[in-house]
Amino acid sequence: MKSLPITRGTVDFTLPEHVEALREEVRRFAHKEIRPHVMTWDEGRIFPQEVMRQLGEMGMLGIIFPEQYGGAGMGYLEYAVLVEELARVDGSVGLGVAAHNSLCSNHIYAMGSEEQRLRYLKPLASGEVLGTWALTEPGSGSDAGALRTTARQAGDSWVLNGTKNFATHGSVAGIAVVMARTRTGTGTDGISAFILEQGMPGFRAGKQENKLGMRASDTSELILEDVVVPAANLLGAEGVGFKQAMQTLDGGRISIAALALGMAQGAFEACVKYTAIRRTFGRCLNEHQAIQFKLADMQVQIAAARLLVYQAAWLKDQGRPYAKAAAIAKLHASEMACRVADEAVQIHGGYGFIKDYPVEKFYRDVKLCTIGEGTSEIQRMVIARHIIREGCG
Ligand SMILES: Cc1cc2nc3c(=O)[nH]c(=O)nc-3n(C[C@H](O)[C@H](O)[C@H](O)COP(=O)(O)OP(=O)(O)OC[C@H]3O[C@@H](n4cnc5c(N)ncnc54)[C@H](O)[C@@H]3O)c2cc1C
């Protein structure tokens, strides 16, 4: 048999220098500006407004958007590293940056008109205002197409009524993207997306949730009572809002995967430090083989997740299909992070159960990653749909 010529070297796992430089910059920032306050914010449910302002000044609240819209002009690889490094120190700040970039801002960037981008994306991307994105309702989460908020046309405006819940930044945002039903009886084809501004009469934040984890992240209800929204604020065409929302979530999942990855890394690093100083039976914990195996298993799982996250980001940056890779990365990284955080508490023994050690918080915070932007079950549904459509490749 005639042998085929061998071509080598087309895959490079080294991150570009500027991405590593960004990692260092964010790491330094998180160490100085976030780490000292993490538990105060968590215990007090304090939203870190000043840190978000600083991140805005650094260009991190518009990292994935072109400079002409106030962004930093970077890609999803840089974005994944940013969220990973923030989450390594505090999941809540990582979640805030992820929700702001991926959801409200990216929905406007990807689906908005030039006028909407200049009017709304610019202040979002430059960090002047925060964004919130409201798809979920009390009666519709995973089954988002069952949403009941209505938008009725009235002359040159739409009038919105309904209640949204679990909106990240719901009570601190200046701009919101809200999905509402513009036609009844047409299923997901009757859903449209609108841009709302804080201060529009009838639009207000309701209950702020008191959560298990991510306690410094604002999660609020949004109440819409006869909110008059100009027709110019409809995002794209009438009736395509559900499709837009699903596409927005495809990209968002890369950032939730990076969020999980960062928290797993933070919990792992805490274990490496702790096992080097805690002694039992006359030796350091890290001299017991059972503990060494736990550290090794954590490292393996984190390394595998990191490859999946960066691959999904790279595919998106290359303009190649990425939705399946994003769901795989999100599912794997979030479930991995829960396992790693669980093991991290175990390794710390009783000290893992008290608030003096960071693993207690990682354990609470990581759980959100298997729920937000599509639960693990929904990720499996998305991945299975791709498998059935494309075959097993
Ligand atoms: C901290 C936080 C922040 C959030 N931020 C936002 C935000 O910014 N914007 C926004 O719109 N939403 C947000 N959400 C909402 C989040 O996206 C939903 O909670 C999530 O999609 C799940 O919906 P649900 O809570 O209604 O659960 P349900 O849909 O009621 O699901 C309950 C359980 O049933 C499972 N399940 C449901 N249907 C199926 C099925 N067909 N097959 C198998 N299992 C199924 C689910 O996986 C889950 O385990 C946030 C939630 C939290 C907790």
mmCIF file of all heavy atoms in Angstrom, residues 95 99 103 132-143 165-169 179 211 213-214 217 219 368 370-378 381, ligand 1:
data_model
loop_
_atom_site.group_PDB
_atom_site.id
_atom_site.type_symbol
_atom_site.label_atom_id
_atom_site.label_comp_id
_atom_site.label_asym_id
_atom_site.label_seq_id
_atom_site.Cartn_x
_atom_site.Cartn_y
_atom_site.Cartn_z
ATOM 1 N N LEU A 95 -19.291 35.768 37.346
ATOM 2 C CA LEU A 95 -20.654 35.654 36.806
ATOM 3 C C LEU A 95 -21.150 37.005 36.294
ATOM 4 O O LEU A 95 -21.770 37.084 35.227
ATOM 5 C CB LEU A 95 -21.607 35.118 37.889
ATOM 6 C CG LEU A 95 -23.095 35.080 37.520
ATOM 7 C CD1 LEU A 95 -23.359 34.166 36.328
ATOM 8 C CD2 LEU A 95 -23.948 34.633 38.719
ATOM 9 N N ALA A 99 -22.345 37.430 32.531
ATOM 10 C CA ALA A 99 -23.735 37.751 32.185
ATOM 11 C C ALA A 99 -23.805 39.064 31.409
ATOM 12 O O ALA A 99 -24.545 39.190 30.431
ATOM 13 C CB ALA A 99 -24.585 37.825 33.451
ATOM 14 N N LEU A 103 -24.837 38.069 27.540
ATOM 15 C CA LEU A 103 -26.295 38.039 27.406
ATOM 16 C C LEU A 103 -26.822 39.370 26.870
ATOM 17 O O LEU A 103 -26.979 39.526 25.660
ATOM 18 C CB LEU A 103 -26.935 37.639 28.744
ATOM 19 C CG LEU A 103 -26.517 36.238 29.255
ATOM 20 C CD1 LEU A 103 -27.157 35.929 30.602
ATOM 21 C CD2 LEU A 103 -26.859 35.146 28.248
ATOM 22 N N THR A 132 -28.850 43.683 31.889
ATOM 23 C CA THR A 132 -29.521 42.478 32.373
ATOM 24 C C THR A 132 -30.299 41.867 31.216
ATOM 25 O O THR A 132 -30.621 42.559 30.239
ATOM 26 C CB THR A 132 -30.440 42.791 33.587
ATOM 27 O OG1 THR A 132 -30.948 41.560 34.125
ATOM 28 C CG2 THR A 132 -31.631 43.681 33.210
ATOM 29 N N TRP A 133 -30.553 40.580 31.307
ATOM 30 C CA TRP A 133 -31.164 39.845 30.191
ATOM 31 C C TRP A 133 -32.248 38.957 30.771
ATOM 32 O O TRP A 133 -31.955 38.116 31.620
ATOM 33 C CB TRP A 133 -30.082 39.011 29.520
ATOM 34 C CG TRP A 133 -30.426 38.343 28.237
ATOM 35 C CD1 TRP A 133 -30.476 38.918 27.002
ATOM 36 C CD2 TRP A 133 -30.706 36.945 28.042
ATOM 37 N NE1 TRP A 133 -30.761 37.957 26.045
ATOM 38 C CE2 TRP A 133 -30.912 36.749 26.658
ATOM 39 C CE3 TRP A 133 -30.799 35.842 28.896
ATOM 40 C CZ2 TRP A 133 -31.205 35.496 26.105
ATOM 41 C CZ3 TRP A 133 -31.086 34.599 28.348
ATOM 42 C CH2 TRP A 133 -31.294 34.439 26.963
ATOM 43 N N ALA A 134 -33.474 39.171 30.342
ATOM 44 C CA ALA A 134 -34.588 38.525 31.025
ATOM 45 C C ALA A 134 -35.373 37.605 30.105
ATOM 46 O O ALA A 134 -36.225 38.048 29.321
ATOM 47 C CB ALA A 134 -35.493 39.601 31.613
ATOM 48 N N LEU A 135 -35.064 36.327 30.236
ATOM 49 C CA LEU A 135 -35.799 35.287 29.514
ATOM 50 C C LEU A 135 -36.680 34.516 30.509
ATOM 51 O O LEU A 135 -37.873 34.330 30.288
ATOM 52 C CB LEU A 135 -34.799 34.322 28.832
ATOM 53 C CG LEU A 135 -35.384 33.122 28.089
ATOM 54 C CD1 LEU A 135 -36.188 33.575 26.875
ATOM 55 C CD2 LEU A 135 -34.270 32.161 27.636
ATOM 56 N N THR A 136 -36.080 34.123 31.628
ATOM 57 C CA THR A 136 -36.750 33.250 32.598
ATOM 58 C C THR A 136 -37.930 33.942 33.291
ATOM 59 O O THR A 136 -37.878 35.136 33.581
ATOM 60 C CB THR A 136 -35.722 32.794 33.664
ATOM 61 O OG1 THR A 136 -34.617 32.200 32.986
ATOM 62 C CG2 THR A 136 -36.310 31.800 34.638
ATOM 63 N N GLU A 137 -38.963 33.146 33.553
ATOM 64 C CA GLU A 137 -40.127 33.616 34.320
ATOM 65 C C GLU A 137 -40.449 32.575 35.387
ATOM 66 O O GLU A 137 -39.984 31.430 35.283
ATOM 67 C CB GLU A 137 -41.328 33.789 33.373
ATOM 68 C CG GLU A 137 -41.080 34.857 32.320
ATOM 69 C CD GLU A 137 -42.273 35.070 31.389
ATOM 70 O OE1 GLU A 137 -43.329 34.422 31.586
ATOM 71 O OE2 GLU A 137 -42.140 35.902 30.481
ATOM 72 N N PRO A 138 -41.283 32.955 36.358
ATOM 73 C CA PRO A 138 -41.613 31.970 37.402
ATOM 74 C C PRO A 138 -42.166 30.662 36.812
ATOM 75 O O PRO A 138 -41.911 29.589 37.331
ATOM 76 C CB PRO A 138 -42.654 32.698 38.251
ATOM 77 C CG PRO A 138 -42.338 34.148 38.064
ATOM 78 C CD PRO A 138 -41.833 34.289 36.659
ATOM 79 N N GLY A 139 -42.885 30.746 35.712
ATOM 80 C CA GLY A 139 -43.484 29.532 35.137
ATOM 81 C C GLY A 139 -42.718 28.962 33.963
ATOM 82 O O GLY A 139 -43.171 27.997 33.325
ATOM 83 N N SER A 140 -41.579 29.540 33.615
ATOM 84 C CA SER A 140 -40.838 29.032 32.455
ATOM 85 C C SER A 140 -39.338 29.287 32.595
ATOM 86 O O SER A 140 -38.896 30.431 32.560
ATOM 87 C CB SER A 140 -41.346 29.702 31.166
ATOM 88 O OG SER A 140 -41.204 31.104 31.252
ATOM 89 N N GLY A 141 -38.598 28.185 32.820
ATOM 90 C CA GLY A 141 -37.132 28.267 32.920
ATOM 91 C C GLY A 141 -36.517 27.475 31.784
ATOM 92 O O GLY A 141 -36.254 28.010 30.702
ATOM 93 N N SER A 142 -36.360 26.167 32.007
ATOM 94 C CA SER A 142 -35.840 25.293 30.937
ATOM 95 C C SER A 142 -36.755 25.359 29.719
ATOM 96 O O SER A 142 -36.297 25.407 28.582
ATOM 97 C CB SER A 142 -35.769 23.840 31.420
ATOM 98 O OG SER A 142 -34.966 23.741 32.568
ATOM 99 N N ASP A 143 -38.055 25.364 29.971
ATOM 100 C CA ASP A 143 -39.038 25.441 28.884
ATOM 101 C C ASP A 143 -39.309 26.917 28.597
ATOM 102 O O ASP A 143 -40.423 27.420 28.771
ATOM 103 C CB ASP A 143 -40.315 24.715 29.348
ATOM 104 C CG ASP A 143 -41.377 24.666 28.249
ATOM 105 O OD1 ASP A 143 -41.044 24.995 27.085
ATOM 106 O OD2 ASP A 143 -42.520 24.304 28.568
ATOM 107 N N ASN A 165 -38.063 36.526 36.313
ATOM 108 C CA ASN A 165 -37.306 36.314 37.556
ATOM 109 C C ASN A 165 -35.908 35.803 37.250
ATOM 110 O O ASN A 165 -35.560 35.533 36.098
ATOM 111 C CB ASN A 165 -38.053 35.399 38.541
ATOM 112 C CG ASN A 165 -38.156 33.975 38.075
ATOM 113 O OD1 ASN A 165 -37.929 33.668 36.915
ATOM 114 N ND2 ASN A 165 -38.508 33.076 38.976
ATOM 115 N N PHE A 166 -35.109 35.754 38.312
ATOM 116 C CA PHE A 166 -33.715 35.286 38.236
ATOM 117 C C PHE A 166 -32.860 36.100 37.260
ATOM 118 O O PHE A 166 -31.931 35.554 36.659
ATOM 119 C CB PHE A 166 -33.666 33.813 37.816
ATOM 120 C CG PHE A 166 -34.191 32.837 38.833
ATOM 121 C CD1 PHE A 166 -34.737 31.617 38.444
ATOM 122 C CD2 PHE A 166 -34.125 33.117 40.186
ATOM 123 C CE1 PHE A 166 -35.207 30.693 39.370
ATOM 124 C CE2 PHE A 166 -34.598 32.202 41.133
ATOM 125 C CZ PHE A 166 -35.136 30.994 40.725
ATOM 126 N N ALA A 167 -33.170 37.367 37.059
ATOM 127 C CA ALA A 167 -32.367 38.167 36.122
ATOM 128 C C ALA A 167 -31.086 38.650 36.805
ATOM 129 O O ALA A 167 -31.139 39.400 37.789
ATOM 130 C CB ALA A 167 -33.173 39.357 35.621
ATOM 131 N N THR A 168 -29.949 38.195 36.294
ATOM 132 C CA THR A 168 -28.662 38.654 36.837
ATOM 133 C C THR A 168 -28.536 40.149 36.533
ATOM 134 O O THR A 168 -28.728 40.562 35.384
ATOM 135 C CB THR A 168 -27.505 37.843 36.215
ATOM 136 O OG1 THR A 168 -27.691 36.476 36.533
ATOM 137 C CG2 THR A 168 -26.147 38.305 36.734
ATOM 138 N N HIS A 169 -28.225 40.947 37.556
ATOM 139 C CA HIS A 169 -28.142 42.417 37.489
ATOM 140 C C HIS A 169 -29.517 43.074 37.356
ATOM 141 O O HIS A 169 -29.603 44.245 36.998
ATOM 142 C CB HIS A 169 -27.249 42.901 36.320
ATOM 143 C CG HIS A 169 -25.827 42.457 36.440
ATOM 144 N ND1 HIS A 169 -24.951 42.464 35.385
ATOM 145 C CD2 HIS A 169 -25.121 41.988 37.504
ATOM 146 C CE1 HIS A 169 -23.774 42.011 35.774
ATOM 147 N NE2 HIS A 169 -23.859 41.717 37.057
ATOM 148 N N MET A 179 -37.427 39.316 26.744
ATOM 149 C CA MET A 179 -38.184 38.505 25.789
ATOM 150 C C MET A 179 -39.665 38.505 26.177
ATOM 151 O O MET A 179 -40.001 38.290 27.361
ATOM 152 C CB MET A 179 -37.661 37.058 25.785
ATOM 153 C CG MET A 179 -36.550 36.762 24.786
ATOM 154 S SD MET A 179 -35.151 37.918 24.761
ATOM 155 C CE MET A 179 -34.314 37.498 26.278
ATOM 156 N N LYS A 211 -29.477 33.863 47.981
ATOM 157 C CA LYS A 211 -29.079 32.609 47.337
ATOM 158 C C LYS A 211 -28.093 31.762 48.160
ATOM 159 O O LYS A 211 -27.388 32.276 49.019
ATOM 160 C CB LYS A 211 -28.435 32.934 45.978
ATOM 161 C CG LYS A 211 -29.311 33.830 45.080
ATOM 162 C CD LYS A 211 -28.758 33.950 43.681
ATOM 163 C CE LYS A 211 -27.425 34.672 43.589
ATOM 164 N NZ LYS A 211 -27.516 36.104 43.898
ATOM 165 N N GLY A 213 -25.358 30.399 46.830
ATOM 166 C CA GLY A 213 -24.021 30.847 46.429
ATOM 167 C C GLY A 213 -24.150 32.038 45.506
ATOM 168 O O GLY A 213 -25.240 32.553 45.276
ATOM 169 N N MET A 214 -23.009 32.469 44.964
ATOM 170 C CA MET A 214 -22.980 33.653 44.083
ATOM 171 C C MET A 214 -23.729 34.801 44.744
ATOM 172 O O MET A 214 -24.500 35.524 44.111
ATOM 173 C CB MET A 214 -23.634 33.322 42.727
ATOM 174 C CG MET A 214 -22.946 32.219 41.972
ATOM 175 S SD MET A 214 -21.321 32.761 41.419
ATOM 176 C CE MET A 214 -20.912 31.526 40.217
ATOM 177 N N SER A 217 -23.563 38.403 43.619
ATOM 178 C CA SER A 217 -24.151 38.698 42.313
ATOM 179 C C SER A 217 -25.621 39.036 42.529
ATOM 180 O O SER A 217 -26.302 38.363 43.297
ATOM 181 C CB SER A 217 -24.010 37.470 41.406
ATOM 182 O OG SER A 217 -24.779 37.627 40.253
ATOM 183 N N THR A 219 -29.364 38.975 41.732
ATOM 184 C CA THR A 219 -30.328 38.149 40.993
ATOM 185 C C THR A 219 -31.721 38.627 41.384
ATOM 186 O O THR A 219 -32.119 38.465 42.539
ATOM 187 C CB THR A 219 -30.186 36.654 41.372
ATOM 188 O OG1 THR A 219 -28.810 36.298 41.333
ATOM 189 C CG2 THR A 219 -30.980 35.760 40.434
ATOM 190 N N LEU A 368 -24.239 26.844 40.789
ATOM 191 C CA LEU A 368 -24.980 27.655 39.805
ATOM 192 C C LEU A 368 -24.636 27.234 38.363
ATOM 193 O O LEU A 368 -25.481 27.304 37.466
ATOM 194 C CB LEU A 368 -24.658 29.132 40.046
ATOM 195 C CG LEU A 368 -25.296 30.214 39.194
ATOM 196 C CD1 LEU A 368 -24.470 30.600 37.977
ATOM 197 C CD2 LEU A 368 -26.726 29.875 38.767
ATOM 198 N N THR A 370 -24.228 24.434 36.971
ATOM 199 C CA THR A 370 -25.007 23.326 36.383
ATOM 200 C C THR A 370 -26.470 23.729 36.168
ATOM 201 O O THR A 370 -27.285 22.921 35.724
ATOM 202 C CB THR A 370 -24.977 22.051 37.272
ATOM 203 O OG1 THR A 370 -25.678 22.324 38.490
ATOM 204 C CG2 THR A 370 -23.563 21.587 37.570
ATOM 205 N N ILE A 371 -26.797 24.992 36.489
ATOM 206 C CA ILE A 371 -28.197 25.453 36.390
ATOM 207 C C ILE A 371 -28.358 26.619 35.416
ATOM 208 O O ILE A 371 -29.207 26.581 34.518
ATOM 209 C CB ILE A 371 -28.718 25.843 37.808
ATOM 210 C CG1 ILE A 371 -28.750 24.617 38.716
ATOM 211 C CG2 ILE A 371 -30.115 26.477 37.704
ATOM 212 C CD1 ILE A 371 -28.969 24.915 40.189
ATOM 213 N N GLY A 372 -27.536 27.663 35.577
ATOM 214 C CA GLY A 372 -27.700 28.884 34.772
ATOM 215 C C GLY A 372 -27.356 28.673 33.302
ATOM 216 O O GLY A 372 -26.508 27.853 32.967
ATOM 217 N N GLU A 373 -28.031 29.406 32.444
ATOM 218 C CA GLU A 373 -27.860 29.342 30.983
ATOM 219 C C GLU A 373 -28.057 27.919 30.446
ATOM 220 O O GLU A 373 -27.356 27.478 29.534
ATOM 221 C CB GLU A 373 -26.516 29.954 30.572
ATOM 222 C CG GLU A 373 -26.447 31.409 31.016
ATOM 223 C CD GLU A 373 -25.402 32.247 30.339
ATOM 224 O OE1 GLU A 373 -25.047 31.944 29.204
ATOM 225 O OE2 GLU A 373 -24.969 33.226 30.968
ATOM 226 N N GLY A 374 -29.032 27.248 31.027
ATOM 227 C CA GLY A 374 -29.367 25.874 30.626
ATOM 228 C C GLY A 374 -28.777 24.877 31.598
ATOM 229 O O GLY A 374 -27.564 24.807 31.769
ATOM 230 N N THR A 375 -29.665 24.108 32.221
ATOM 231 C CA THR A 375 -29.211 23.112 33.205
ATOM 232 C C THR A 375 -28.403 22.006 32.505
ATOM 233 O O THR A 375 -28.373 21.932 31.272
ATOM 234 C CB THR A 375 -30.432 22.454 33.879
ATOM 235 O OG1 THR A 375 -31.192 21.791 32.851
ATOM 236 C CG2 THR A 375 -31.323 23.455 34.589
ATOM 237 N N SER A 376 -27.804 21.138 33.314
ATOM 238 C CA SER A 376 -27.048 20.002 32.736
ATOM 239 C C SER A 376 -27.965 19.150 31.853
ATOM 240 O O SER A 376 -27.542 18.646 30.807
ATOM 241 C CB SER A 376 -26.469 19.133 33.856
ATOM 242 O OG SER A 376 -25.391 19.803 34.456
ATOM 243 N N GLU A 377 -29.215 19.012 32.287
ATOM 244 C CA GLU A 377 -30.159 18.198 31.491
ATOM 245 C C GLU A 377 -30.387 18.862 30.133
ATOM 246 O O GLU A 377 -30.434 18.186 29.099
ATOM 247 C CB GLU A 377 -31.485 18.036 32.240
ATOM 248 C CG GLU A 377 -31.411 17.149 33.486
ATOM 249 C CD GLU A 377 -30.713 17.810 34.679
ATOM 250 O OE1 GLU A 377 -30.621 19.057 34.716
ATOM 251 O OE2 GLU A 377 -30.225 17.075 35.570
ATOM 252 N N ILE A 378 -30.513 20.182 30.135
ATOM 253 C CA ILE A 378 -30.723 20.906 28.869
ATOM 254 C C ILE A 378 -29.474 20.796 27.983
ATOM 255 O O ILE A 378 -29.577 20.644 26.764
ATOM 256 C CB ILE A 378 -31.120 22.378 29.148
ATOM 257 C CG1 ILE A 378 -32.490 22.441 29.844
ATOM 258 C CG2 ILE A 378 -31.124 23.219 27.862
ATOM 259 C CD1 ILE A 378 -33.672 21.838 29.081
ATOM 260 N N MET A 381 -29.638 17.617 26.273
ATOM 261 C CA MET A 381 -30.624 17.665 25.176
ATOM 262 C C MET A 381 -30.031 18.346 23.949
ATOM 263 O O MET A 381 -30.191 17.893 22.814
ATOM 264 C CB MET A 381 -31.898 18.400 25.633
ATOM 265 C CG MET A 381 -32.790 17.538 26.527
ATOM 266 S SD MET A 381 -34.015 18.498 27.472
ATOM 267 C CE MET A 381 -34.988 19.188 26.184
HETATM 268 C C1 LIG B 1 -28.162 32.751 40.076
HETATM 269 C C2 LIG B 1 -29.005 32.621 38.833
HETATM 270 C C3 LIG B 1 -28.830 33.534 37.813
HETATM 271 C C4 LIG B 1 -29.650 33.463 36.666
HETATM 272 N N1 LIG B 1 -29.537 34.435 35.708
HETATM 273 C C5 LIG B 1 -30.453 34.472 34.700
HETATM 274 C C6 LIG B 1 -30.483 35.576 33.796
HETATM 275 O O1 LIG B 1 -29.649 36.480 33.858
HETATM 276 N N2 LIG B 1 -31.469 35.611 32.852
HETATM 277 C C7 LIG B 1 -32.407 34.628 32.749
HETATM 278 O O2 LIG B 1 -33.264 34.713 31.881
HETATM 279 N N3 LIG B 1 -32.393 33.558 33.587
HETATM 280 C C8 LIG B 1 -31.450 33.471 34.568
HETATM 281 N N4 LIG B 1 -31.444 32.407 35.440
HETATM 282 C C9 LIG B 1 -32.449 31.359 35.296
HETATM 283 C C10 LIG B 1 -31.878 30.032 34.849
HETATM 284 O O3 LIG B 1 -31.496 30.104 33.509
HETATM 285 C C11 LIG B 1 -32.963 28.957 35.110
HETATM 286 O O4 LIG B 1 -33.032 28.806 36.522
HETATM 287 C C12 LIG B 1 -32.648 27.646 34.437
HETATM 288 O O5 LIG B 1 -32.769 27.774 33.052
HETATM 289 C C13 LIG B 1 -33.566 26.504 34.923
HETATM 290 O O6 LIG B 1 -34.904 26.884 34.903
HETATM 291 P P1 LIG B 1 -35.822 26.632 36.222
HETATM 292 O O7 LIG B 1 -35.079 27.179 37.369
HETATM 293 O O8 LIG B 1 -37.168 27.162 35.941
HETATM 294 O O9 LIG B 1 -35.878 25.057 36.369
HETATM 295 P P2 LIG B 1 -36.937 24.076 35.638
HETATM 296 O O10 LIG B 1 -37.002 24.390 34.206
HETATM 297 O O11 LIG B 1 -38.201 24.085 36.403
HETATM 298 O O12 LIG B 1 -36.216 22.671 35.820
HETATM 299 C C14 LIG B 1 -36.241 21.935 37.047
HETATM 300 C C15 LIG B 1 -35.391 20.664 36.830
HETATM 301 O O13 LIG B 1 -36.027 19.839 35.833
HETATM 302 C C16 LIG B 1 -35.107 19.574 34.786
HETATM 303 N N5 LIG B 1 -35.833 19.526 33.519
HETATM 304 C C17 LIG B 1 -36.672 20.463 33.004
HETATM 305 N N6 LIG B 1 -37.158 20.066 31.823
HETATM 306 C C18 LIG B 1 -36.609 18.834 31.565
HETATM 307 C C19 LIG B 1 -36.712 17.898 30.498
HETATM 308 N N7 LIG B 1 -37.427 18.149 29.418
HETATM 309 N N8 LIG B 1 -36.012 16.745 30.596
HETATM 310 C C20 LIG B 1 -35.235 16.495 31.691
HETATM 311 N N9 LIG B 1 -35.102 17.337 32.711
HETATM 312 C C21 LIG B 1 -35.776 18.502 32.660
HETATM 313 C C22 LIG B 1 -34.115 20.733 34.841
HETATM 314 O O14 LIG B 1 -32.883 20.372 34.221
HETATM 315 C C23 LIG B 1 -33.993 20.936 36.332
HETATM 316 O O15 LIG B 1 -33.114 19.990 36.864
HETATM 317 C C24 LIG B 1 -30.605 32.427 36.551
HETATM 318 C C25 LIG B 1 -30.740 31.484 37.580
HETATM 319 C C26 LIG B 1 -29.957 31.586 38.715
HETATM 320 C C27 LIG B 1 -30.148 30.569 39.816
#
